Amino acid sequence: MRLLFLAVLRPHTGNAVTAQRVRDHLEAEGHVCLLKDASDFAGPADVAHLIRAEAVQAALALHLCRAGRLLQGHGIPFGVVFGGTDLNEDVRQGDKHLVMGKVLEEARFAVAFTESMRAAACLQWPQAKGKIYVQGQGIATAPNAAFPWSAFLQRADLPQSADNLHVFLLICGLRPVKDPLYLVDAFSEWHREEPSAYLVIVGPEVSRPL
């Protein structure tokens, strides 16, 4: 099947990483998945042209408001995936709340990553309860036994043995809307009580506005 997948693909964001992972799974199942940045389309008319040109048979959108609205009215089946912005930010704005409700009416199904996200969506749009499903996110990791811990600790100014440390790794981009630095004060207080505990944040600074 030829699928169009719309998402906001800003670099270094969870949306972009999630979209790429979903695309990889779809392609692994034998589908052709055209992953496109929703920000590149002025409106549904542009998407309609792409659907015709690429002979798209079905579609998927990550974020109802930002991407799902572009899939309405094209006559092909589509599903949507709730993003955190949908349920934590956009739902509070009347015009966007209305748009998301209309997208849900037309969508064949909707996916929430957690039970709490599904509950929040069902509270806002109870009429769509029967088409909202939970699909948790998960990744497989393979620790690198050859990782040079000693050199890493030295570069991080942690002159201790790795055997005596408890390192918590947070991989994320630094941006105001999802500022992980609120953890720093709490972690610093814990570190004073437990000197072997360290928080390491790995990721770029993303300062552009949403």
Side-chain angles (χ1 to χ4, degrees):
M1 180 177 290
R2 294 182 64 81
L3 299 169
L4 171 62
F5 187 9
L6 292 182
V8 177
L9 303 177
R10 287 179 55 200
H12 313 306
T13 63
N15 288 341
V17 174
T18 296
Q20 291 164 4
R21 287 173 52 203
V22 172
R23 178 193 59 185
D24 290 344
H25 284 295
L26 291 170
E27 291 182 341
E29 292 298 318
H31 302 292
V32 174
C33 184
L34 306 174
L35 178 58
K36 300 293 183 179
D37 192 334
S39 302
D40 292 339
F41 299 93
D46 291 345
V47 175
H49 176 75
L50 177 65
I51 289 173
R52 291 192 298 270
E54 295 289 347
V56 170
Q57 299 168 284
L60 182 65
L62 175 57
H63 278 291
L64 278 71
C65 193
R66 296 181 177 184
R69 62 183 178 82
L70 298 172
L71 296 178
Q72 293 180 272
H74 299 308
I76 61 171
F78 70 87
V80 291
V81 180
F82 284 103
T85 304
D86 285 329
L87 298 173
N88 297 322
E89 301 292 335
D90 291 346
V91 74
R92 302 173 185 174
Q93 302 181 39
D95 54 341
K96 293 183 178 181
H97 186 283
L98 183 62
V99 167
M100 288 188 283
K102 294 295 185 182
V103 171
L104 273 178
E105 287 181 13
E106 191 171 340
R108 293 287 184 91
F109 64 88
V111 173
F113 291 134
T114 65
E115 290 288 351
S116 61
M117 289 180 70
R118 181 182 186 277
C122 290
L123 184 64
Q124 297 294 329
W125 302 283
Q127 70 277 11
K129 183 177 181 179
K131 65 169 67 175
I132 303 176
Y133 303 90
V134 174
Q135 176 64 61
Q137 295 195 83
I139 59 173
T141 61
N144 182 2
F147 183 79
W149 267 108
S150 296
F152 172 80
L153 295 175
Q154 185 175 9
R155 288 196 305 270
D157 293 326
L158 303 178
Q160 302 186 44
S161 167
D163 295 334
N164 299 324
L165 292 180
H166 297 88
V167 177
F168 294 81
L169 183 63
L170 177 60
I171 302 174
C172 64
L174 302 181
R175 54 194 180 115
V177 71
K178 293 182 179 178
D179 185 5
L181 297 181
Y182 77 93
L183 289 171
V184 171
D185 290 340
F187 215 99
S188 295
E189 183 177 345
W190 184 32
H191 175 73
R192 285 192 289 270
E193 299 174 1
E194 182 53 71
S196 66
Y198 287 87
L199 173 65
V200 177
I201 301 177
V202 178
E205 180 179 354
V206 184
S207 58
R208 289 180 298 166
L210 291 176

